[in-house]
Amino acid sequence: MKPSSPNSLLRLRLYLNLVPVFGVPASLWTLYASPQQPHTQLKQVSRLAVVLGMGWLLATVLLSAGAHSEFSQVATLRFWLVNGFVGTGYFVTNLWLMLRLSRGKTTRLPGISQLSRRLPD
């Protein structure tokens, strides 16, 4: 298979959309600004990446706001600890999805894939 074949370009775009943090703008571009209709698998992965990225961003902002509030030092530490777990989970989930993609398995996640299908076309 040549490196410039359509199948290898599709795989490259799938991996690009699953890169933590930087894949969210690429996924949004694929879904809403791309002049052509994206491949079905690319559309599914892009929607999943957007939902995961926006969920991580929302959780990070809310937990950071909770950590900066004037509770106690123990509560602040707990907010930062949970924030670290959320961030680590987001990165590990994206890397795990990339690994599944490289093995030819599905990239569906229970609950999150159903939520991602509700994004507007």
Side-chain angles (χ1 to χ4, degrees):
M1 176 171 23
K2 292 187 215 175
S4 62
S5 71
N7 202 14
S8 63
L9 289 176
L10 174 64
R11 288 183 68 86
L12 181 66
R13 288 185 69 188
L14 289 169
Y15 285 122
L16 176 69
N17 287 349
L18 286 175
V19 172
V21 180
F22 298 110
V24 175
S27 296
L28 287 170
W29 178 266
T30 299
L31 289 173
Y32 301 114
S34 173
Q36 69 225 15
Q37 182 67 19
H39 187 269
T40 306
Q41 187 181 14
L42 182 61
K43 195 174 189 179
Q44 175 197 4
V45 168
S46 296
R47 287 179 170 186
L48 182 63
V50 168
V51 168
L52 284 173
M54 293 301 160
W56 166 75
L57 183 65
L58 179 66
T60 299
V61 166
L62 291 175
L63 288 168
S64 296
H68 287 328
S69 63
E70 296 297 325
F71 289 123
S72 67
Q73 288 182 347
V74 174
T76 299
L77 179 65
R78 287 179 183 164
F79 277 118
W80 285 123
L81 187 64
V82 172
N83 194 4
F85 285 143
V86 168
T88 302
Y90 169 65
F91 277 73
V92 168
T93 300
N94 279 344
L95 293 176
W96 178 71
L97 287 171
M98 286 180 176
L99 182 65
R100 288 186 60 85
L101 188 66
S102 72
R103 293 181 176 174
K105 295 182 179 177
T106 182
T107 57
R108 299 190 65 214
L109 293 174
I112 298 174
S113 293
Q114 288 86 356
L115 181 64
S116 69
R117 278 190 247 134
R118 295 183 179 190
L119 286 178
D121 284 331

